[in-house]
Amino acid sequence: DGAVLNDAIAVESVIGFTSFTKLQGVAADVPLAEITEGDRMLVQYQPTSHLGKQEFLVRPDVPVTQDTEVEVVSSDPAIVTGSATGGGRLMWKAGEGGFKTVVATHAGTSGSVVLSFRAFAPAGGNYFGIESGHVRVEAMPGLLFDRTTVDVQKGGTGTFTIRPDTYPTQDVLVSITTSDPSVATVQPNVTFTADAEIGPENTKQVTIAYVAQGTAAISFTASSPGGNFDGVIWSNGVVAASRPGFTLSTNDLVIPYDGQASFTVTPDTVPTADTHLTIASTQPAKAAPVQMAIVFRAGTVVTQTIDVKSWCSVSPGNCARAGAAIITLTSSSVGGNYDGVDSTSVVTAEVQPPRLSLSTSSLLVQASAGAA
């Protein structure tokens, strides 16, 4: 009774690092709530967007006694990497103990990682050999597009395709919005099904329609309750560029096999620079334009005529007698609004087959020679 054991158990006070969520969108390091092991931080798969990264704050539990570098260690760098702002290690000078910003970045593969902190300090520093911290970061799956810019011309539409980059575990409804419906509209949604995985059935075509000239950003939000795509956001994934175009007098020409027909073309917008229009045929052995190139001068809107000839009218012994050719129009305008515009409307030139000319349309045949 009353026995006392001195120094029976050695108790070491362990120091480490504590992490906090950060007020986003401000330059100052404003901590919000402490991050616990049960918390989950999300990063989206968007290499060119701020959503592909997530910032949080970390600080040592006590000020460091020696200059200390701290490496952000990821349990799987193929999924998420961590670093100081601008890359590399965090750094505290001797006597410091304030907040530093950590940037968690989606590395291109969906999954979950834990970020921890490994200190490098001279022997004798209080953080020598310390490794601590537990910040769980989940890298969300992403969306893949066959193009990120779609030209949409006046009176026309443009398309792109979208598909999931990994297998959806539940059906996914992707809502699609445009940043400026006064420039371009877009279909409201597409659906990916879990049983189609990432195959062709889950590659969906999206249509953008012209409203007015300008640019609009197309964004995507996924809903998949209980699935791996639930909450995926892709902001400004596709840019719709509404462009000027050309007005054609007709989209269908009927050409005699040894003749020609014509159509007219007019810019629907005043060219801001001289615009060179190249006219070509997909089947020149059937029909081809007489004018291979024309020029629309800057500052004016004029109508020009394009003649299309059957090749049989040029080379009767070496031509396809009949069939259709597509007449295409492509413009170039250095520094102008028509540079690189392909007409969304093409002209189908249908060449008629040759016909026989008969000397008469009726004959009288008698039962026998000389009979009345």
Side-chain angles (χ1 to χ4, degrees):
D1 183 34
V4 176
L5 297 177
N6 293 320
D7 302 325
I9 300 176
V11 178
E12 182 178 358
S13 177
V14 178
I15 57 176
F17 298 93
T18 304
S19 302
F20 295 81
T21 56
K22 177 186 177 183
L23 182 62
Q24 303 294 312
V26 297
D29 293 335
V30 180
L32 297 176
E34 182 177 342
I35 299 174
T36 67
E37 291 191 10
D39 293 332
R40 183 183 65 152
M41 187 177 298
L42 302 179
V43 289
Q44 307 276 348
Y45 179 42
Q46 296 192 55
T48 60
S49 167
H50 69 282
L51 295 174
K53 303 175 186 293
Q54 185 71 264
E55 293 184 346
F56 63 94
L57 299 175
V58 64
R59 71 178 181 191
D61 293 338
V62 297
V64 300
T65 59
Q66 300 284 346
D67 289 358
T68 302
E69 292 186 0
V70 175
E71 179 183 2
V72 183
V73 180
S74 171
S75 59
D76 191 339
I79 296 176
V80 172
T81 61
S83 68
T85 303
R89 296 175 174 178
L90 307 168
M91 178 68 188
W92 281 271
K93 295 289 187 180
E96 291 182 345
F99 290 105
K100 302 291 183 181
T101 296
V102 177
V103 182
T105 304
H106 200 303
T109 304
S110 58
S112 182
V113 305
V114 171
L115 299 181
S116 58
F117 310 98
R118 181 182 299 152
F120 296 86
N126 59 340
Y127 270 83
F128 175 74
I130 293 292
E131 183 168 348
S132 83
H134 188 288
V135 178
R136 180 167 296 280
V137 183
E138 182 153 342
M140 304 287 281
L143 304 171
L144 298 177
F145 311 96
D146 70 333
R147 67 195 67 187
T148 55
T149 301
V150 179
D151 282 348
V152 187
Q153 293 175 29
K154 186 174 182 179
T157 59
T159 62
F160 63 93
T161 62
I162 178 177
R163 70 174 178 86
D165 70 350
T166 192
Y167 305 113
T169 58
Q170 300 287 339
D171 290 355
V172 184
L173 176 65
V174 180
S175 299
I176 309 171
T177 57
T178 172
S179 64
D180 193 345
S182 67
V183 170
T185 59
V186 65
Q187 69 185 70
N189 55 66
V190 296
T191 299
F192 303 130
T193 57
D195 56 3
E197 300 183 338
I198 56 174
E201 293 180 9
N202 263 345
T203 298
K204 307 295 184 178
Q205 180 171 284
V206 178
T207 300
I208 302 173
Y210 177 100
V211 177
Q213 288 186 43
T215 57
I218 310 300
S219 299
F220 310 84
T221 303
S223 175
S224 180
N228 56 338
F229 274 85
D230 192 42
V232 167
I233 299 172
W234 198 296
S235 62
N236 306 337
V238 175
V239 174
S242 294
R243 307 287 301 280
F246 299 95
T247 301
L248 307 179
S249 60
T250 183
N251 297 110
D252 297 287
L253 288 179
V254 177
I255 304 175
Y257 90 100
D258 60 350
Q260 73 176 42
S262 302
F263 68 94
T264 62
V265 57
T266 309
D268 62 23
T269 303
V270 177
T272 58
D274 285 358
T275 299
H276 299 261
L277 189 67
T278 301
I279 307 100
S281 171
T282 60
Q283 295 286 335
K286 295 178 181 178
V290 176
Q291 298 86 359
M292 305 294 288
I294 56 177
V295 178
F296 295 100
R297 296 301 179 188
T300 61
V301 174
V302 297
T303 298
Q304 300 202 45
T305 299
I306 307 297
D307 302 311
V308 182
K309 278 190 173 184
S310 160
W311 190 244
C312 291
S313 67
V314 178
S315 180
N318 182 29
C319 67
R321 295 292 176 181
I326 304 300
I327 309 302
T328 61
L329 302 93
T330 305
S331 68
S332 62
S333 177
V334 177
N337 55 341
Y338 271 89
D339 193 38
V341 170
D342 297 337
S343 178
T344 54
S345 297
V346 296
V347 176
T348 301
E350 183 73 34
V351 180
Q352 294 181 318
R355 300 178 183 275
L356 296 175
S357 297
L358 303 178
S359 60
T360 183
S361 59
S362 63
L363 292 174
L364 296 176
V365 182
Q366 301 180 25
S368 61

